[in-house]
Amino acid sequence: MVFQPTIIAEVYIIWEMINLKDKRFDKTEAALKSAITELLRTKNINEITVVELCRLAGVNKSTFYLHYRDIYEYYDYLIQDIATRHRSIYEKYNYEEFVNLFPDIFVNVLNIIKQDELMKIMISRDNSNVLISKVTESITEAIIAKKSTWYENILQTEMNCRFIVFGTMGVIQGYSDMIFSNPDIAKPL
């Protein structure tokens, strides 16, 4: 089949439109993330309105509503994003590696959180433990998915993973100011 020059040009135009849309979406997401970070420094999510978020982000309210139903759906999206990023850190380890390398993994996680102001704020202000529970669930699933000798007792492996991860996230949450000012504090663990 021989393509006509007009068909190739049309495909190219469509491709450029898709790329432009992706760039606009990325720019909008970055603006929203920056604005929500700023707002969460002083407010809880239930005190933030879509109007306030959009005004600070410089994003039209209708653009926000194209992607999210309300502020809580956006917050859930952020929680899922954080859980996914944490999962990607842990999923390369099976259970034995997770336990044996845990102090090093913990320091790596602290460094990642330290570099992401929104993640740091959300973890330290997660009073209902929704974020910590989601991260714990995601990481536990990733570790259990890597079959190991411990896999024979799935319940024990799952309980141990949840204990370690939930405890780790609780320590990060409870001592975030001290930990982020000195990440070497985690090395003795």
Side-chain angles (χ1 to χ4, degrees):
M1 172 181 253
V2 176
F3 288 106
Q4 305 263 337
T6 56
I7 294 174
I8 294 172
E10 288 174 12
V11 169
Y12 179 77
I13 290 169
I14 291 170
W15 178 254
E16 286 297 312
M17 289 171 55
I18 290 169
N19 284 338
L20 177 63
K21 187 176 181 180
D22 288 346
K23 289 175 187 174
R24 285 192 320 227
F25 179 78
D26 292 345
K27 184 178 176 184
T28 299
E29 283 298 305
L32 287 172
K33 188 175 179 182
S34 177
I36 197 76
T37 301
E38 190 62 37
L39 292 168
L40 285 172
R41 283 187 170 119
T42 58
K43 296 181 175 189
N44 291 321
I45 191 64
N46 59 349
E47 299 170 322
I48 299 171
T49 66
V50 171
V51 171
E52 181 180 30
L53 174 65
C54 289
R55 188 177 302 128
L56 186 60
V59 172
N60 193 308
K61 212 170 49 164
S62 60
T63 302
F64 178 89
Y65 285 120
L66 280 174
H67 303 285
Y68 309 102
R69 187 176 57 244
D70 55 28
I71 195 79
Y72 301 106
E73 185 175 65
Y74 179 59
Y75 194 73
D76 288 343
Y77 162 79
L78 295 171
I79 288 173
Q80 186 59 47
D81 179 59
I82 290 171
T84 301
R85 286 190 281 156
H86 275 271
R87 181 182 179 123
S88 70
I89 297 166
Y90 288 89
E91 68 188 350
K92 54 188 152 203
Y93 303 105
N94 66 31
Y95 181 75
E96 288 86 1
E97 293 167 332
F98 172 65
V99 172
N100 293 331
L101 300 172
F102 183 73
D104 294 331
I105 296 169
F106 184 53
V107 170
N108 289 338
V109 169
L110 288 177
N111 288 330
I112 289 167
I113 295 170
K114 187 176 185 177
Q115 295 170 12
D116 187 327
E117 191 63 24
L118 178 59
M119 189 185 304
K120 190 166 41 171
I121 291 168
M122 288 178 68
I123 289 171
S124 66
R125 301 191 82 202
D126 186 31
N127 297 332
S128 63
N129 288 329
V130 172
L131 173 62
I132 291 175
S133 295
K134 191 69 160 176
V135 169
T136 300
E137 178 182 322
S138 183
I139 292 169
T140 301
E141 287 172 3
I143 292 170
I144 288 176
K146 292 267 194 165
K147 292 186 171 59
S148 67
T149 56
W150 277 77
Y151 196 76
E152 294 172 11
N153 189 341
I154 185 86
L155 181 59
Q156 181 182 2
T157 302
E158 183 175 345
M159 287 172 40
N160 289 343
C161 285
R162 288 185 185 279
F163 177 78
I164 293 168
V165 176
F166 200 83
T168 300
M169 296 305 289
V171 167
I172 291 171
Q173 182 185 42
Y175 297 96
S176 60
D177 290 338
M178 183 175 25
I179 289 172
F180 293 125
S181 64
N182 181 9
D184 290 336
I185 199 166
K187 287 190 178 175
L189 298 176

